[in-house]
Amino acid sequence: MLISTRPSDLSAGLRLWRTRRRVSQLELAVRAGTTQRHVSFIESGRSIPGREMVIRLAESLQLPLRDRNALLLAGGYAPAYDETPYDEVGLGAIRTALTGIVEGHRPYPAVVVDRRGDLVLANRTFHVLATGISDGLLSAPINVPRLLLHPDGLAPRILNFPQWSWHVIDALTREALQNPAPESDALIEELTRLVPPRPDLTPDHLGFAVPLQLRSAQGDLRLITTLTRFGTAVDVTVSELRMEAFLPADPSTAAALQRLDPV
């Protein structure tokens, strides 16, 4: 359905995202199955693309579904992707699947968060590890990065806090660069104020492979993390969910987690 035509907003939006993705007009044209001339005309406002072309351009730039809808609206078209509240009936199958995956990960901790990092779902092991955290941090919405790095959260229990805290902040920064949002920038700024200065690199620096070293009631834990997203989601809410699962980095951690949360 064509609502209104605002080619200037569409032109600016397309140009902005193409620049963020570091894609040339020619490369975008090839990906979208059109010509560089057509892309140039759209970005200059000389051509108004049809709804299908806007979707193809957004898909070619790998835009999040929320931003694909925004680009469609900028071009005067209705959004193509629904945004269903997580607790509505329509996402019942998704909730069931995620609950099964998260609970099936026990005795290892796992959480599902939304695009802001707010907790959507967690298994019992995660809640066991979060025991003793300030009630303020456990009031909805529970922000998982904040819970990890806040001095009233898990921060005092993280043995390699200087390295791990910057590992978290760097991951949030990379995500914000790919999918900018004001709330992401605000969270990064807040968390940066909570952590010590970035530590100097040492010969044993691990980069992306920084394990979480966490003190627990059953001994010190060494955890590595995995990240899972829905690859074929057509709903904005579902596309923005991600599961963060923690795995033991050594046998002693696996045994300690089994004692913390016997399955």
Side-chain angles (χ1 to χ4, degrees), residues 218 220-221 250-257 259:
Q218 293 295 333
D220 294 346
L221 309 175
D250 52 48
S252 63
T253 296
L257 288 170
R259 294 191 298 271

Side-chain angles (χ1 to χ4, degrees), residues 105 108-109 211-212 222-226 245-250 253-254 257:
H105 194 67
Y108 309 143
L212 171 60
R222 294 184 74 251
L223 300 163
I224 55 178
T225 58
T226 63
F246 297 81
L247 296 168
D250 52 48
T253 296
L257 288 170

Side-chain angles (χ1 to χ4, degrees), residues 53-115:
M53 178 54 67
V54 175
I55 293 174
R56 283 161 54 189
L57 290 168
E59 183 177 26
S60 298
L61 289 170
Q62 297 182 325
L63 267 60
L65 299 192
R66 179 180 300 277
D67 295 291
R68 297 184 195 192
N69 278 345
L71 201 63
L72 282 163
L73 286 169
Y77 298 102
Y81 308 97
D82 292 333
E83 184 175 359
T84 308
Y86 180 75
D87 57 358
E88 282 201 1
V89 174
L91 294 187
I94 296 295
R95 291 195 301 274
T96 299
L98 286 174
T99 300
I101 294 170
V102 166
E103 288 302 317
H105 194 67
R106 291 176 50 211
Y108 309 143
V111 299
V112 175
V113 298
D114 63 17
R115 67 190 180 100

Side-chain angles (χ1 to χ4, degrees), residues 116-117 126 129-130 133-134 137-138 142-173 184 186-199 210-214 225 242 244 246:
R116 294 176 294 273
F126 181 83
L129 290 176
I133 286 177
S134 167
L137 292 173
L138 295 177
I142 301 171
N143 184 267
V144 173
R146 183 181 295 116
L147 185 148
L148 285 167
L149 303 188
H150 197 281
D152 294 332
L154 285 175
R157 307 181 202 173
I158 298 177
L159 303 175
N160 59 336
F161 185 70
Q163 294 80 13
W164 175 257
S165 61
W166 282 101
H167 171 74
V168 172
I169 291 172
D170 287 344
L172 292 172
T173 301
S184 299
L187 178 62
I188 292 169
E189 183 177 347
E190 173 194 342
L191 297 181
T192 301
R193 292 195 297 266
L194 297 177
V195 306
R198 186 185 294 272
V210 177
L212 171 60
Q213 299 176 30
L214 184 67
T225 58
R242 65 180 186 271
E244 299 186 21
F246 297 81

